[in-house]
């Protein structure tokens, strides 16, 4: 689409007359007691109708429509089903819903800038990038329509990555006031979503909740559920080239190769598995141009159906294929990106997969060389061995709530309180560094690892980056189980909160012998890595508790963590143990001493708990 001031885009095939004024009321008819009653519905108000029963019915309908938008909030993101094809799931991320959310985000950005500057603002610029999902095109048009409604100028980045969208608010000559990334990360091709950025970083869960609440009101009261025409086409921009140049320059400057400064990756073979997502650019525009041999790379071409495997560094197939390619080609490094490249994992030169705790340990080893005694913030699912690994190198370990925004925001807060925290990482692969705007950027994380790999080689080491974590212990057992919440979707969150809080009460009342709510002390976090005790506690987006488990014979031998999922209506149960059969024993206690006596088995599907408790097997 070329930029123009005269063209327009139709957003639906049966578009209404574009001259019809958007802010006028419409006539809607509702059948009640075999009579037709009309009522008018302006954008901001539902009018009172004559029949009280009809009014009550319409109130319910409006509330249900508003709930439909609110439920699209997914922590600090928006996610939903964009295409038919998922059993038991209806399409809810529709163009009208996306338009309302984009308009509300535009309003929110403008209001924030006006409040900050104390004056009206004009020509607020917002960029949009997207991953290759096949629902991206129609939903992009809805985003542009929503931004236009809000009075923003839109810029179309096309295929992009989530970190690049944030960087488009920073790097000149772009430096947009805000950005949106359209992605659903590693979720199936039927899903899609939105991530939001300003120059200050990604939005928090409360901020996204505020935007979704505003969008819900717009959506329920809107004259036309989606705009019929877009008065101005968005301006197409090529930001990814600028972003790739930015990454290349970082590698060149920090390696500072004594023989070939501009091609510091000469002599290295690096394999990239982009999973048919947005990460192929890293091969063509970063590694190849720095002299690396990328022969053997996998699934670089974007394909929104993701035909080969889930684009996810935690996916076993993705890691196995990358490992095989590394070994077959005797490569120095393998890289696995998720769809939108805010997460990554690697494979070392011996074919060892490095993700989860291992990736956190690798990044901690690199960062602690640069910043001795810094604090590493992680989510509360990491192992006790990782804590020992970090502290043995002089670092400090702060365990915090699960959720990448929670972990990153905790690191930001620690730095604001005078506690140096240079690395924040979640076991899912999200990782942010203080030096990089606290941005969870999978490509930047890999850049750090590549720089370390080249420096080790220049220092005469052929060990490879895996040698940096050779002393990391692994738990004897580690498992995750899920309990679906048996409830209507709109009540699932409340039911999940009830179950998690009951878990806390059982432990505090001593009903689970040897189980104690875990704390991490001097980071002002207590009650199972849930409650902030500092002056500005962070809002809770999902309830969770971690308990350490001990017995007289073994002492503390493991931990168990219960949390609400913010993606789906279920409760995740994570366990680790340093003794054989420890996870199975904890599972039995959870079932027999907690789930059954409390009656929670009536609102939770405990079939996985039953099966693992009896057999010790997941499958």
């Amino acid at each position: 689409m070329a930029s123009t001031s005269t063209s327009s885009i139709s957003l639906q095939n049966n578009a209404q007359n574009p001259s019809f004024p958007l802010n006028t009321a419409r006539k809607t008819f509702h059948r009640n007691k075999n009579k037709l009653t009309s009522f008018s519905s302006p954008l901001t108000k539902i009018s009172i109708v004559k029949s009280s029963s009809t009014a009550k019915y319409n109130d319910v309908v409006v509330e249900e429509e508003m709930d439909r938008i609110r439920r699209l909030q997914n922590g600090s993101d928006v996610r939903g089903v964009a295409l038919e094809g998922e059993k038991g799931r209806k399409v809810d991320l529709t163009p009208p819903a996306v338009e309302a959310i984009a308009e509300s985000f535009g309003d929110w950005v403008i209001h924030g800038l006006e409040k900050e500057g104390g004056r009206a603002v004009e020509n607020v610029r917002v960029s949009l990038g997207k991953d290759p999902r096949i629902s991206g095109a129609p939903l992009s048009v809805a985003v542009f329509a929503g931004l236009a409604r809000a009075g923003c100028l839109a810029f179309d980045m096309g295929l992009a990555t989530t970190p690049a969208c944030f960087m488009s608010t920073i790097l000149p000559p772009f430096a947009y006031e805000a950005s949106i990334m359209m992605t659903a990360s590693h979720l199936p091709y039927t899903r899609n979503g939105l991530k939001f950025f300003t120059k200050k970083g990604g939005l928090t869960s409360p901020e996204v909740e505020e935007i979704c609440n505003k969008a819900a009101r717009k959506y329920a009261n809107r004259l036309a559920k989606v705009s019929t025409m877009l008065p101005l086409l968005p301006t197409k921009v090529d930001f990814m080239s600028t972003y790739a140049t930015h990454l290349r320059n970082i590698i060149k400057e920090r390696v500072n190769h004594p023989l070939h400064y501009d091609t510091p990756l000469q002599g290295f073979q690096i394999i990239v598995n982009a999973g048919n997502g947005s990460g192929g650019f890293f091969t063509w525009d970063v590694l190849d141009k720095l002299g690396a041999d990328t022969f053997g790379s996998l699934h670089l071409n974007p394909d929104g159906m993701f035909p080969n495997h889930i684009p996810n560094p935690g996916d076993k197939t993705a890691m196995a294929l990358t490992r095989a390619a590394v070994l077959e080609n005797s490569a120095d490094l393998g890289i696995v990106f998720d769809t939108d490249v805010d997460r990554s994992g690697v494979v070392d030169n011996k074919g060892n997969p490095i993700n989860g705790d291992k990736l956190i340990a690798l990044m901690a080893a690199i960062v602690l060389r640069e910043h001795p005694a810094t604090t590493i913030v992680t989510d509360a699912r990491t192992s006790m061995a990782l804590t020992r690994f970090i502290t043995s190198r002089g670092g400090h370990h702060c365990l915090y709530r699960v959720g990448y925004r929670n972990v990153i925001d905790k690191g930001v807060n620690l730095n604001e309180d005078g506690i140096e925290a240079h690395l924040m990482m979640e076991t899912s692969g999200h990782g942010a560094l203080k030096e990089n705007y606290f941005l969870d950027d999978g490509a930047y994380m890999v850049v750090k690892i590549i720089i370390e790999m080249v420096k080790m080689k220049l220092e005469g080491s052929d060990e490879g980056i895996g040698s940096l974590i050779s002393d990391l212990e692994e738990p004897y057992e580690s498992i995750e189980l899920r309990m679906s919440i048996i409830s209507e979707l709109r009540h699932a969150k409340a039911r999940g909160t009830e179950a998690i809080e009951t878990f806390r009460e059982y432990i505090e009342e001593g009903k689970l012998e040897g189980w104690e709510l875990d704390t991490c002390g001097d980071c002002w976090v207590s009650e199972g890595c849930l409650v902030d005790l500092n002056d500005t506690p962070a809002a809770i987006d999902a309830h969770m508790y971690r308990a350490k488990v001990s017995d007289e014979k073994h002492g503390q031998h493991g931990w168990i963590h219960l949390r609400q999922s913010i993606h789906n209506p279920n409760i995740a149960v994570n366990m680790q143990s340093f003794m054989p059969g420890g996870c199975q024993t904890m599972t039995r206690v959870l079932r027999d001493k907690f789930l059954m006596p409390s009656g929670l088995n009536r609102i939770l599907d405990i079939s996985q708990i039953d099966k693992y408790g009896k057999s010790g097997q997941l499958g």
Side-chain angles (χ1 to χ4, degrees):
M1 293 186 294
S3 177
T4 174
S5 60
T6 58
S7 299
S8 61
I9 298 176
S10 174
L11 281 160
Q12 53 188 28
N13 293 330
N14 56 341
Q16 300 174 11
N17 186 342
S19 64
F20 189 86
L22 288 176
N23 291 321
T24 59
R26 64 172 176 173
K27 289 287 185 179
T28 306
F29 294 94
H30 171 69
R31 186 174 300 276
N32 179 48
K33 296 183 180 180
N34 299 321
K35 294 183 180 179
L36 286 174
T37 305
S38 68
F39 67 94
S40 60
S41 173
L43 285 179
T44 57
K45 181 179 179 182
I46 296 295
S47 64
I48 304 298
V49 297
K50 294 179 180 179
S51 167
S52 61
S53 60
T54 303
K56 184 176 181 181
Y57 172 82
N58 288 324
D59 287 343
V60 171
V61 170
V62 169
E63 187 60 34
E64 286 179 353
E65 287 201 335
M66 292 176 70
D67 278 346
R68 196 173 297 132
I69 303 300
R70 293 189 187 111
R71 286 197 296 268
L72 292 172
Q73 183 189 357
N74 187 78
S76 57
D77 306 339
V78 164
R79 285 187 188 172
V81 179
L83 296 171
E84 297 283 357
E86 285 192 59
K87 186 177 180 180
R89 297 293 294 265
K90 295 181 179 179
V91 172
D92 53 8
L93 193 73
T94 60
V98 168
E99 184 191 356
I101 293 168
E103 180 187 357
S104 296
F105 175 63
D107 290 342
W108 183 87
V109 171
I110 291 172
H111 176 73
L113 291 172
E114 289 179 340
K115 185 177 179 181
E116 187 176 294
R119 58 182 176 82
V121 296
E122 294 181 351
N123 299 325
V124 171
R125 301 166 306 145
V126 182
S127 62
L128 172 70
K130 63 179 183 293
D131 73 18
R133 292 170 191 276
I134 59 176
S135 61
L139 294 183
S140 292
V141 178
V143 169
F144 295 136
L147 292 174
R149 276 184 179 268
C152 297
L153 301 178
F155 294 81
D156 183 4
M157 292 169 54
L159 185 70
T161 70
T162 292
C165 282
F166 167 72
M167 293 303 294
S168 75
T169 71
I170 300 296
L171 295 180
F174 303 91
Y176 303 121
E177 280 71 42
S179 184
I180 300 173
M181 175 66 182
M182 184 176 292
T183 182
S185 187
H186 63 285
L187 295 178
Y189 77 93
T190 52
R191 307 283 184 96
N192 216 326
L194 303 170
K195 296 182 178 182
F196 307 97
F197 299 94
T198 68
K199 293 178 184 292
K200 296 177 181 178
L203 269 60
T204 64
S205 293
E207 289 169 337
V208 175
E209 182 179 7
E210 178 186 348
I211 289 166
C212 286
N213 282 335
K214 290 180 179 179
R217 291 191 291 272
K218 292 178 186 293
Y219 178 84
N221 298 334
R222 177 142 287 164
L223 161 70
K225 287 301 183 189
V226 64
S227 295
T228 57
M229 302 297 290
L230 187 61
L232 288 174
L233 286 170
T235 302
K236 276 188 167 293
V237 294
D238 177 17
F239 177 76
M240 290 303 294
S241 294
T242 297
Y243 175 63
T245 300
H246 169 70
L247 295 179
R248 291 200 307 270
N249 287 339
I250 290 171
I251 294 174
K252 287 192 289 187
E253 290 167 7
R254 296 185 188 175
V255 169
N256 194 23
H257 200 286
L259 300 178
H260 33 88
Y261 177 88
D262 288 323
T263 54
L265 301 187
Q266 279 187 35
F268 290 90
Q269 185 171 10
I270 301 174
I271 286 172
V272 175
N273 183 349
N276 301 112
S278 298
F281 87 97
F282 194 79
T283 308
W284 308 310
D285 291 339
V286 179
L287 300 179
D288 287 349
K289 291 183 178 180
L290 292 176
D293 175 3
T294 57
F295 178 80
S297 290
L298 305 166
H299 317 318
L300 300 182
N301 293 322
D303 186 334
M305 296 297 291
F306 310 123
N308 293 291
H309 57 73
I310 297 170
N312 183 359
D315 180 68
K316 291 181 180 179
T317 302
M319 270 294 178
L321 290 173
T322 309
R323 178 179 185 274
V326 167
L327 293 175
E328 181 181 345
N329 292 279
S330 299
D332 298 282
L333 186 70
I335 300 165
V336 182
F337 288 127
D338 76 337
T339 315
D340 58 324
V341 197
D342 59 358
R343 295 186 296 131
S344 57
V346 297
V347 175
D348 72 8
N349 60 349
K350 295 180 175 61
N352 297 311
I354 301 177
N355 54 16
D357 277 12
K358 292 180 179 179
L359 184 61
I360 298 174
L362 176 59
M363 289 305 303
I366 294 171
V367 169
L368 282 166
R369 287 184 176 187
E370 300 168 342
H371 306 283
T374 193
T375 293
I376 313 294
V377 184
T378 74
D379 66 273
R381 293 172 298 182
T382 54
S383 69
M384 294 179 284
L386 179 64
T387 300
R388 290 194 290 271
F389 180 90
I390 291 171
T391 55
S392 70
R393 284 159 172 74
H396 303 280
H397 188 193
C398 172
L399 287 88
Y400 197 55
R401 299 177 195 145
V402 174
Y404 73 96
R405 283 279 9 138
N406 292 330
V407 172
I408 293 172
D409 290 344
K410 184 61 180 177
V412 172
N413 292 338
L414 288 177
N415 280 284
E416 289 173 348
D417 290 333
I419 296 176
E420 186 183 76
H422 280 273
L423 175 66
M424 307 95 227
M425 286 200 71
E426 195 188 34
T427 49
S428 65
H430 281 284
L433 290 135
K434 180 181 179 182
E435 69 188 49
N436 190 43
Y437 307 96
F438 296 99
L439 173 65
D440 53 322
D441 185 343
Y444 189 89
M445 201 69 59
V446 167
V447 162
K448 292 283 288 185
I449 292 170
I450 289 173
I451 291 169
E452 187 67 24
M453 177 183 71
V454 177
K455 285 184 174 180
M456 289 173 67
K457 191 78 169 181
L458 287 172
E459 292 168 0
S461 173
D462 292 318
E463 289 295 313
I465 51 95
S467 64
L468 297 178
I469 57 171
S470 59
D471 59 333
L472 175 68
E473 303 172 60
E474 292 190 52
Y476 192 89
E477 295 178 342
S478 182
I479 191 171
E480 178 176 285
L481 304 170
R482 295 271 176 170
M483 298 184 290
S484 295
I485 299 170
I486 305 168
S487 167
E488 290 183 42
L489 195 58
R490 59 180 174 171
H491 300 309
K493 186 173 182 179
R495 289 283 182 91
T497 298
E498 174 190 341
I500 298 291
E501 288 303 313
T502 304
F503 176 71
R504 174 185 61 80
E505 291 168 4
Y506 262 61
I507 295 176
E508 288 182 337
E509 294 169 5
K511 293 180 180 179
L512 303 177
E513 186 178 354
W515 291 29
E516 180 184 354
L517 288 178
D518 207 351
T519 63
C520 43
D522 60 1
C523 288
W524 308 300
V525 185
S526 70
E527 297 191 37
C529 303
L530 177 67
V531 179
D532 282 325
L533 298 182
N534 54 340
D535 293 335
T536 55
I540 296 170
D541 52 7
H543 284 71
M544 60 191 76
Y545 291 100
R546 169 166 153 162
K548 51 188 177 185
V549 179
S550 308
D551 61 32
E552 291 184 3
K553 182 177 180 181
H554 304 95
Q556 183 181 349
H557 59 79
W559 56 259
I560 180 169
H561 185 275
L562 264 67
R563 65 181 171 90
Q564 287 175 291
S565 170
I566 60 174
H567 301 305
N568 295 296
N570 63 49
I571 290 174
V573 183
N574 289 89
M575 288 177 276
Q576 285 189 4
S577 177
F578 280 86
M579 70 177 196
C583 287
Q584 188 178 9
T585 299
M586 286 187 279
T587 303
R588 288 174 179 166
V589 172
L590 185 73
R591 181 192 185 279
D592 299 338
K593 304 291 186 181
F594 170 57
L595 293 170
M596 301 300 287
S598 67
L600 288 172
N601 59 306
R602 292 193 292 271
I603 66 170
L604 300 174
D605 177 1
I606 65 169
S607 55
Q608 276 200 0
I609 304 292
D610 276 334
K611 188 165 189 176
Y612 187 77
K614 292 174 183 175
S615 66
Q617 300 295 320
L618 279 174

